[in-house]
Amino acid sequence: MKLLILFAAQFTFLVSGFISSESDSLFSFSLYDNQLQQPLMVNLTFIQGADSKGAVCLDGTLPGYHLDRGFGSGSTSWLIHLEGGGWCNTIRNCVYRKKTPRGSSIYMENQIPFTGILSNKPEENPDFFNWNRVKLRYCDGASFSGDSENEAAGLQFRGQRIWLAAMEELMSQGMQNAEQALLSGCSAGGLASIIHCDEFQSLLPKPSKVKCFSDAGFFLDAIDVSGGRSLRDLFGGVVELQEVHKNLPKNCLSQLDPTSCFFPQNLVEHVETPLFLLNAAYDVWQVRSSLAPTTADPLGSWNDCKSNHAECNSSQIQFLQDFRNQMLDDVKDFSKSSQTGLFINSCFAHCQSERHELWFADNSPLIDDK
């Protein structure tokens, strides 16, 4: 089976000088265009009738997805990739978001490139190139998990309904006959792939081999540079505003508060379906937006370090090292199960599976030659 190498449970870590961040994504696409074949462009499909189920984006528009059909040996295998893109935790933030592709399908691109784990080229994506590959667009702001509304602000928080409508749509497109299925996601979508992992398995026929894959979705409940917990504050707002608690695991909620159950470090122990984690130990988004956001660093003492890691002073390096150690500690118990696997590298990166140069290029990060 093609997934075997992915799910080898090996608790090893790579120390690497490879530097990557969200800020160089345009440069990365330029490299891709100049050195490789042009990526496959895949059309946007709206989920017709989703609005009748209340499955709509923040502004009430139809949700959408991109599908490239599998062929040959991959024709009965499905990869569902959940798009990421942060969260909105206040009415103001969500009102702003509904004027963007992350809150309205009006602003979504009609075509997007399928690269990395979504590529159709065997030399770039040998395991999944001929699978049915889907990217589900993210337009709810709560990792496909909320279910509420704010009529006064014209906001629909319907991530859970979008998820269900999308699964129903894809089942009708042939996924009900899947022999293999992988639920993946990046960032906020990586968190969603953990939240929905067991539900995904329950939707598919019993003989199917079903696994889940979270890329850059292991967000830590970490202390920021001011001594506060910036990400907990953000997640708390998301969970309360969008009533995410309705769709979090009951066995977690019986032990912890809803905000804690939105953090992957508390979720993964409740996931029964085989789950694989890919994460950078120095996750660049978490460094910038959780550890040293502007609200925690109003004087900008971390600005140079965040923009160029060679500029970090010794105390900042130690702070980053402590964050890495917390991540490694939080996945130790997870790594002991034969049903789990992980690839944690010491890169400054975020969302490594979607980009060719990190996923399967000649100089992509390696752990034990994998």
Side-chain angles (χ1 to χ4, degrees), residues 194-310:
I194 297 172
I195 293 172
H196 290 298
C197 184
D198 287 339
E199 189 177 4
F200 182 64
Q201 184 182 51
S202 72
L203 294 171
L204 290 156
K206 294 240 181 277
S208 302
K209 289 188 176 181
V210 181
K211 301 185 180 183
C212 303
F213 172 47
S214 174
D215 176 11
F218 202 79
F219 297 95
L220 298 186
D221 187 6
I223 297 174
D224 63 35
V225 296
S226 70
R229 292 186 181 269
S230 294
L231 192 55
R232 170 167 278 272
D233 293 341
L234 170 62
F235 277 10
V238 174
V239 169
E240 181 177 0
L241 179 65
Q242 302 212 29
E243 298 185 17
V244 172
H245 67 276
K246 297 175 182 177
N247 301 304
L248 295 173
K250 298 294 186 290
N251 46 3
C252 181
L253 293 173
S254 68
Q255 303 170 29
L256 298 169
D257 63 273
T259 300
S260 295
C261 288
F262 200 55
F263 278 97
Q265 65 200 70
N266 302 317
L267 279 173
V268 292
E269 66 182 272
H270 303 290
V271 177
E272 297 179 359
T273 306
L275 172 63
F276 190 91
L277 302 178
L278 166 63
N279 229 96
Y282 303 103
D283 185 291
V284 72
W285 186 91
Q286 294 190 63
V287 170
R288 293 173 177 174
S289 301
S290 174
L291 296 186
T294 303
T295 52
D297 181 35
L299 299 180
S301 60
W302 273 77
N303 287 352
D304 290 343
C305 177
K306 287 191 294 183
S307 61
N308 181 357
H309 306 106

Side-chain angles (χ1 to χ4, degrees), residues 33-51:
D33 291 344
N34 291 336
Q35 296 180 3
L36 300 167
Q37 303 175 52
Q38 289 289 330
L40 175 71
M41 302 299 292
V42 181
N43 291 329
L44 174 66
T45 300
F46 294 113
I47 304 175
Q48 299 299 331
D51 50 347

